[in-house]
Amino acid sequence: MKARIAVRLRPDVLDPQGKAIGQALEILGFSGVNNVRQGKLIEFDLDAASASSAEEQVRGMCEKLLANPVIEDYEIEITA
Amino acid sequence: MKARIAVRLRPDVLDPQGKAIGQALEILGFSGVNNVRQGKLIEFDLDAASASSAEEQVRGMCEKLLANPVIEDYEIEITA
């Protein structure tokens, strides 16, 4: 199975990295860009009997290591 | 329009950050995890007349700022 995890700062948490990207895009002449947010994308192969057991394992990984649940949300996608 | 860009290291480029995540997961007792890769996820709102013009703009942003085409691939997703 392939796991794909998107880790994003919660919407109410300031994202200075996203803000810097937005400013740089404006300086480069790209206009109309708003609310830039930068997150992490973590992808790996996983040995698991089923998609639901894979998702359960990956949820544990997110809670213990991959995301900081205090300031980050995560989204899990499992594909065969 | 909303733009979502996944920036990943090219498959033949070493990813020490992904490797570190894989080792940490193993230490934490998660087994069966292979080929961990960490990328970036950049999301923003964009003023554009159409999805195709939005995609064209975002492609320019990727080439000029968001990705390093020498070592990274990017994937663009535009939604209304």
Side-chain angles (χ1 to χ4, degrees):
Chain A
M1 308 255 173
K2 289 191 180 297
R4 181 176 177 171
I5 304 146
V7 180
R8 299 180 179 88
L9 284 171
R10 287 177 183 269
D12 52 337
V13 176
L14 276 180
D15 179 357
Q17 211 168 358
K19 202 159 181 83
I21 293 173
Q23 287 168 347
L25 285 174
E26 205 169 319
I27 289 167
L28 286 172
F30 295 103
S31 57
V33 176
N34 289 300
N35 300 325
V36 185
R37 309 286 288 177
Q38 172 164 350
K40 286 180 291 185
L41 187 67
I42 300 163
E43 293 168 310
F44 50 80
D45 299 330
L46 180 64
D47 298 338
S50 68
S52 63
S53 98
E55 184 162 342
E56 196 179 326
Q57 278 185 68
V58 174
R59 196 169 300 280
M61 295 175 197
C62 287
E63 294 289 337
K64 283 197 181 156
L65 179 76
L66 303 179
N68 176 351
V70 177
I71 55 165
E72 290 173 328
D73 286 326
Y74 56 85
E75 189 186 329
I76 298 170
E77 201 179 307
I78 306 283
T79 51
Chain B
M1 309 252 172
K2 289 192 178 299
R4 182 177 176 170
I5 304 146
V7 180
R8 300 181 178 87
L9 284 171
R10 286 176 184 270
D12 53 337
V13 175
L14 277 181
D15 180 358
Q17 211 168 358
K19 203 159 181 84
I21 293 173
Q23 287 169 346
L25 285 173
E26 204 168 320
I27 290 168
L28 286 173
F30 294 102
S31 58
V33 176
N34 289 300
N35 300 324
V36 185
R37 308 286 287 176
Q38 173 165 350
K40 285 180 291 184
L41 187 67
I42 299 162
E43 293 168 311
F44 51 81
D45 299 329
L46 179 63
D47 297 338
S50 69
S52 63
S53 97
E55 185 162 343
E56 197 180 324
Q57 278 184 68
V58 174
R59 196 169 300 280
M61 295 175 199
C62 288
E63 295 290 336
K64 282 197 183 158
L65 179 76
L66 303 179
N68 175 351
V70 177
I71 56 166
E72 291 173 327
D73 285 326
Y74 56 86
E75 189 185 329
I76 298 169
E77 200 179 308
I78 306 283
T79 51

